[in-house]
Amino acid sequence: MSKVIVVTSGKGGVGKTTSSAAFSAGLAARGHKTAVIDFDVGLRNLDLIMGVERRVIYDFVNVINGEATLKQALIKDKRVDNLYILPASQTRDKDALNKEGVESIINELKADGFEYIVCDSPAGIEKGAFMALYFADEAIVVTNPEVSSVRDSDRILGILQSRSKIAEDGGSVKEHLLITRYSPDRVEGGDMLGMDDIVEILSIPLIGVIPESGTVLQASNSGNPVIMDKESTAGQAYEDVVSRFLGEDIPLRFVDVEIKKKGFFQKIFG
Amino acid sequence: MNLKGEMSMLNVLHLEHTDVDAITAELQKKRDEMPQFFMQSPVVVDCNILGENVTDFDFLTLKESLLKLGFIPVGVRNIPASMNASLAKAGWAVMRESRKAYVEDNTKESSSEVNNESNKDHNTEKNNDITIKDVTNDPEQNLVEDQGLQQAVQAPRGAAMIKSLTVVKPVRSGQQIYAAESDMTVLAQTSAGSEIMADGSIHVYGALRGRVLAGAMGNESARIFCQSLQAELIAIAGRYQLLDESDTKLIGKPAMIKLSGEKLIIEPLMS
């Protein structure tokens, strides 16, 4: 059974594409055949984060319009087997998307034996975001620990549970909360919302907390999904997210303020 | 074709004197306050207060005035039987019973609708199993006048049921749910930036964080009940208040909100 998972947030810049890239790479690395689709038509970014920007020949919109086959447009990742990227078009806009086109692509991917189809949603609640979530079975809602991001996530949750296909058919989309750019120090200092507060406001199950980390930016710039950096805290946290998504019950990491042990001399002079 | 006896929302004009010109002037004032609300709305004239004086009343002029103001005169009630024939001839329906306003408002055969710009299909359950007895159990409903209460309690089971809209999922930011001519029960939370409205009372069992408007069509006895009061704005029958501007100590606590005169009263909810 294939699953369609939308990575969405409402607000921009919270880490949807970073999370989509890490999550799909993580699933593929564990042997699951995974496709990740960039729904941000006109502001194509996923290919950069995945490091395949120079390999894009055909895109999502070409396939919808019948100008290319899905096979021609899908880019196979060179680092991880089982991982395929369907890039967005940079020269078109969201109006190029339509339900029938998206549905036929998703159905074709399912028929091709893809276990997971990850839809990287654009920001906002307009057509692109709507198309990304319409066919979703599950949703990863990415939220930063600040009020406007939480509010926008709340809004997108409402849209998910009312306008997605599953909701229209009377069901409900399974929700997961992913908190990114979390900084325990700043939560302690009161600058940031704590994860408990966010969970309390959104009241959906938490699938992971990704700590704020410089390696995320480095990974993005170099075109390597951060999950491939096994040393970084963010990479490890994304690994945990994938584990939890696949049903493992593991404790949260990197959510408490690290107790920095003072050295002997610091104790005396510090 | 399907002809059934159902009750629906009607405005009731309680006559207190027989001066038609004065009544017309008052009506005009009311209508001008809320022209949209009263546009083409059906009106029933209740003569209970007039008693015997009703025989002097000029129903013809009243009917013309109502029409001129944009109301639709429907019927007359609480009139002596001797007048039935003449009123029927003048085109008025003669209606049988009268009940106190509150009981009436809550016993309407009503339709609930979920009105949500982004949400046509919010998970809701409709419940028809509330009988009139539940309504009159409230000791404060003893203000039901004269034979009204008796009638209400003795109304045959099933004759006067109310509908209630039950919302089982969180009401998220940007969502709007309206329970028309009905109470509303929300089993989950309502988020900041959401809006719930009902013509009757509203009960919220999760945290109440958005806007909440009870008695949306003017029912002043509608109330709001919640387990954790964190609303942005509360309103009953058009009287509204920002929660931040109230001096209540009950924020985050179980509370009941009711209307007393023109003032919204927030009280602790006893459990």
Side-chain angles (χ1 to χ4, degrees):
Chain A
M1 249 297 276
S2 353
K3 264 186 192 157
V4 180
I5 304 127
V6 61
V7 179
T8 187
S9 72
K11 196 166 158 52
V14 296
K16 283 182 297 296
T17 302
T18 302
S19 298
S20 298
F23 181 65
S24 50
L27 286 170
R30 296 187 194 200
H32 301 285
K33 192 173 178 188
T34 305
V36 54
I37 308 176
D38 190 352
F39 275 79
D40 207 348
V41 178
L43 292 166
R44 193 178 91 190
N45 278 171
L46 180 69
D47 55 317
L48 286 169
I49 309 284
M50 301 290 287
V52 297
E53 75 276 15
R54 301 181 70 79
R55 297 174 58 202
V56 176
I57 303 167
Y58 295 109
D59 58 54
F60 194 17
V61 174
N62 291 139
V63 183
I64 286 179
N65 293 343
E67 295 150 6
T69 64
L70 183 58
K71 227 175 214 100
Q72 287 174 308
L74 275 179
I75 302 169
K76 187 180 185 314
D77 192 89
K78 285 184 174 165
R79 297 152 297 200
V80 190
D81 284 344
N82 302 315
L83 180 59
Y84 294 81
I85 299 118
L86 183 57
S89 171
Q90 182 71 353
T91 52
R92 304 293 293 271
D93 61 33
K94 267 82 174 170
D95 291 331
L97 298 173
N98 59 62
K99 266 188 204 169
E100 296 71 31
V102 174
E103 184 171 31
S104 76
I105 289 179
I106 285 176
N107 285 340
E108 200 177 332
L109 288 169
K110 284 180 178 173
D112 273 357
F114 280 94
E115 287 174 76
Y116 297 106
I117 300 159
V118 178
C119 302
D120 179 24
S121 172
I125 53 173
E126 279 76 39
K127 192 164 187 185
F130 174 63
M131 285 296 157
L133 66 79
Y134 186 71
F135 295 99
D137 301 304
E138 303 195 18
I140 295 178
V141 177
V142 184
T143 304
N144 285 169
E146 46 111 6
V147 285
S148 59
S149 174
V150 174
R151 165 76 61 92
D152 291 357
S153 293
D154 194 65
R155 181 90 164 89
I156 211 84
L157 281 165
I159 294 172
L160 262 173
Q161 298 304 5
S162 59
R163 290 182 64 192
S164 62
K165 187 166 191 304
I166 286 192
E168 283 180 0
D169 296 344
S172 76
V173 177
K174 190 173 177 188
E175 303 156 326
H176 307 277
L177 174 62
L178 177 62
I179 301 174
T180 56
R181 310 198 65 169
Y182 195 74
S183 165
D185 293 317
R186 297 188 62 192
V187 172
E188 190 96 324
D191 302 340
M192 258 186 193
L193 283 175
M195 60 175 195
D196 295 335
D197 294 330
I198 301 171
V199 173
E200 145 87 10
I201 294 171
L202 295 176
S203 64
I204 61 171
L206 184 64
I207 197 170
V209 179
I210 311 299
E212 174 82 64
S213 161
T215 53
V216 173
L217 188 62
Q218 285 168 24
S220 295
N221 287 339
S222 62
N224 285 308
V226 67
I227 200 166
M228 293 176 183
D229 184 349
K230 306 286 180 209
E231 302 296 307
S232 81
T233 53
Q236 292 170 42
Y238 274 117
E239 282 289 357
D240 290 357
V241 169
V242 175
S243 300
R244 287 189 201 103
F245 183 82
L246 295 172
E248 286 175 49
D249 184 16
I250 48 175
L252 289 167
R253 291 194 276 175
F254 322 114
V255 291
D256 296 318
V257 179
E258 274 175 61
I259 301 143
K260 295 192 180 79
K261 290 206 176 81
K262 286 185 176 177
F264 176 70
F265 286 100
Q266 276 177 306
K267 271 186 193 156
I268 295 172
F269 302 109
Chain B
M1 216 217 73
N2 194 355
L3 182 66
K4 282 199 295 191
E6 282 190 11
M7 290 191 246
S8 55
M9 199 72 165
L10 291 171
N11 292 298
V12 179
L13 172 63
H14 291 271
L15 295 182
E16 290 166 342
H17 51 77
T18 54
D19 184 347
V20 180
D21 291 339
I23 293 167
T24 307
E26 278 176 69
L27 276 172
Q28 175 137 27
K29 203 174 140 215
K30 269 246 167 359
R31 195 222 35 194
D32 291 347
E33 284 168 14
M34 294 171 80
Q36 296 302 319
F37 184 77
F38 289 118
M39 186 69 79
Q40 298 293 311
S41 64
V43 174
V44 169
V45 180
D46 187 307
C47 306
N48 194 30
I49 303 167
L50 283 185
E52 287 304 305
N53 295 330
V54 70
T55 44
D56 303 334
F57 193 75
D58 183 356
F59 280 100
L60 197 67
T61 314
L62 179 69
K63 189 173 180 179
E64 282 166 6
S65 305
L66 284 170
L67 285 168
K68 209 182 287 170
L69 290 170
F71 293 94
I72 300 172
V74 175
V76 186
R77 67 184 190 192
N78 284 322
I79 51 160
S82 58
M83 291 181 74
N84 286 1
S86 61
L87 281 167
K89 209 172 169 188
W92 291 92
V94 177
M95 304 174 107
R96 269 167 303 185
E97 56 195 303
S98 86
R99 282 182 203 148
K100 181 63 189 167
Y102 181 88
V103 177
E104 224 164 45
D105 285 347
N106 286 279
T107 53
K108 292 278 147 61
E109 184 72 41
S110 59
S111 67
S112 305
E113 84 184 65
V114 179
N115 186 356
N116 190 331
E117 40 100 13
S118 63
N119 184 3
K120 291 195 194 76
D121 205 1
H122 205 267
N123 261 27
T124 52
E125 293 165 0
K126 284 174 186 164
N127 180 355
N128 291 319
D129 293 329
I130 302 161
T131 64
I132 192 159
K133 282 195 180 141
D134 300 321
V135 174
T136 48
N137 273 346
D138 187 339
E140 288 192 42
Q141 292 315 311
N142 288 337
L143 47 84
V144 173
E145 64 188 15
D146 53 66
Q147 83 281 23
L149 177 65
Q150 280 306 94
Q151 249 177 326
V153 174
Q154 285 166 6
R157 193 181 158 85
M161 306 227 277
I162 67 165
K163 277 185 182 170
S164 172
L165 182 72
T166 307
V167 178
V168 298
K169 284 196 177 164
V171 185
R172 299 288 182 182
S173 184
Q175 290 186 315
Q176 199 179 40
I177 297 183
Y178 175 44
E181 294 173 39
S182 149
D183 285 358
M184 185 193 297
T185 307
V186 182
L187 300 177
Q189 64 173 2
T190 81
S191 295
S194 68
E195 194 168 280
I196 51 173
M197 277 187 285
D199 290 342
S201 295
I202 297 178
H203 306 256
V204 181
Y205 290 92
L208 172 61
R209 299 200 178 101
R211 294 173 165 221
V212 53
L213 298 90
M217 292 287 272
N219 181 0
E220 297 181 345
S221 51
R223 296 183 182 201
I224 298 163
F225 307 85
C226 61
Q227 289 298 324
S228 176
L229 177 65
Q230 303 169 40
E232 294 165 336
L233 179 139
I234 52 176
I236 295 174
R239 281 72 159 189
Y240 64 88
Q241 185 172 34
L242 292 169
L243 201 63
D244 280 2
E245 286 179 0
S246 88
D247 49 9
T248 182
K249 302 265 190 298
L250 292 169
I251 291 181
K253 299 203 166 63
M256 179 188 77
I257 303 159
K258 63 178 183 183
L259 192 63
S260 170
E262 291 297 305
K263 215 172 143 37
L264 291 168
I265 309 286
I266 306 176
E267 288 176 356
L269 185 63
M270 297 305 173
S271 53

